[in-house]
Amino acid sequence: MQNVSLRPITVEDATSVQLYASDARLAATCNVPYPYPSNGGQVFVERCIHARESRQRFPHAILLDGQFVGVIGLNLPDFTNLTAEVDYWLAVPFWGQGIMTQAVGLVAGVAFKELGFCRLFSGCWSKNPASCRVLEKNGFTEISSIVNDGHFGQKFAGETIRRFTLSYDEWQRHMTTA
Ligand SMILES: CC(C)(COP(=O)(O)OP(=O)(O)OC[C@H]1O[C@@H](n2cnc3c(N)ncnc32)[C@H](O)[C@@H]1OP(=O)(O)O)[C@@H](O)C(=O)NCCC(=O)NCCS
């Protein structure tokens, strides 16, 4: 197991976000823009801090041995139905080490135990099987496969998105069997 932890995004993360989010390989499978704007890191962290303060989103920095390596968010919170959407990206040098699998497990704990959500949703492009696998390894179940008509962003319009969900009960069962 890697030494992975989460914490809220801070202004100090702007330089790392700028560095890692500028990589075209990252933009190929997630909604990070490419080319990445020269002030993108600064704008991103400021928006994250505001979003957390106003409870519009709960973005976290992913840390490996205390160093920033990526972002994972609990987005689109629905405080009536107690649901949220999990989105994430990991800096390219850290792919394939089990880090996002751990980060998704940690953010599920935050969602269910700290924030009181009852169900999480997430989705990944069918051309991104590693991301789907990360969800499956955390107990998520696939619920649908949808052609993106633009609802999930114009960048990947026309591509297929696989939708997954995880309830609090499913998460607890997964934790006891994992
Ligand atoms: C996709 C991403 C989140 C994966 O993170 P990661 O830390 O490298 O993932 P992990 O190492 O925890 O697990 C990856 C799993 O996918 C598997 N995998 C990798 N490539 C695969 C492929 N082409 N087909 C099937 N499975 C694959 C790995 O073997 C591993 O599963 P295993 O442990 O059962 O062997 C990361 O590459 C990333 O952030 N990419 C760019 C942004 C992005 O795609 N974000 C998600 C948007 S939906």
Side-chain angles (χ1 to χ4, degrees), residues 29 88-90 95-98 100-101 123 128-131 133 137:
T29 52
Y88 43 79
W89 61 259
L90 184 68
W95 288 4
Q97 302 172 36
M100 195 57 82
T101 300
N128 192 2
S131 183
R133 181 84 187 113
K137 286 200 296 176

Side-chain angles (χ1 to χ4, degrees), residues 49-145:
I49 291 164
H50 172 71
R52 178 177 283 275
E53 286 170 355
S54 56
R55 294 175 67 81
Q56 294 168 29
R57 290 186 285 125
F58 300 91
H60 300 79
I62 304 171
L63 307 180
L64 175 65
D65 297 327
Q67 299 299 311
F68 178 100
V69 292
V71 173
I72 188 162
L74 294 164
N75 301 333
L76 302 175
D78 177 339
F79 295 109
T80 304
N81 296 305
L82 300 177
T83 66
E85 179 94 13
V86 182
D87 282 310
Y88 43 79
W89 61 259
L90 184 68
V92 174
F94 306 97
W95 288 4
Q97 302 172 36
I99 293 170
M100 195 57 82
T101 300
Q102 281 184 249
V104 169
L106 290 171
V107 92
V110 172
F112 293 133
K113 302 296 269 189
E114 291 179 26
L115 296 174
F117 291 113
C118 290
R119 180 172 287 282
L120 298 177
F121 292 96
S122 191
C124 43
W125 305 107
S126 57
K127 67 177 182 182
N128 192 2
S131 183
C132 299
R133 181 84 187 113
V134 162
L135 297 173
E136 289 166 351
K137 286 200 296 176
N138 277 287
F140 279 74
T141 305
E142 187 165 356
I143 46 171
S144 62
S145 185

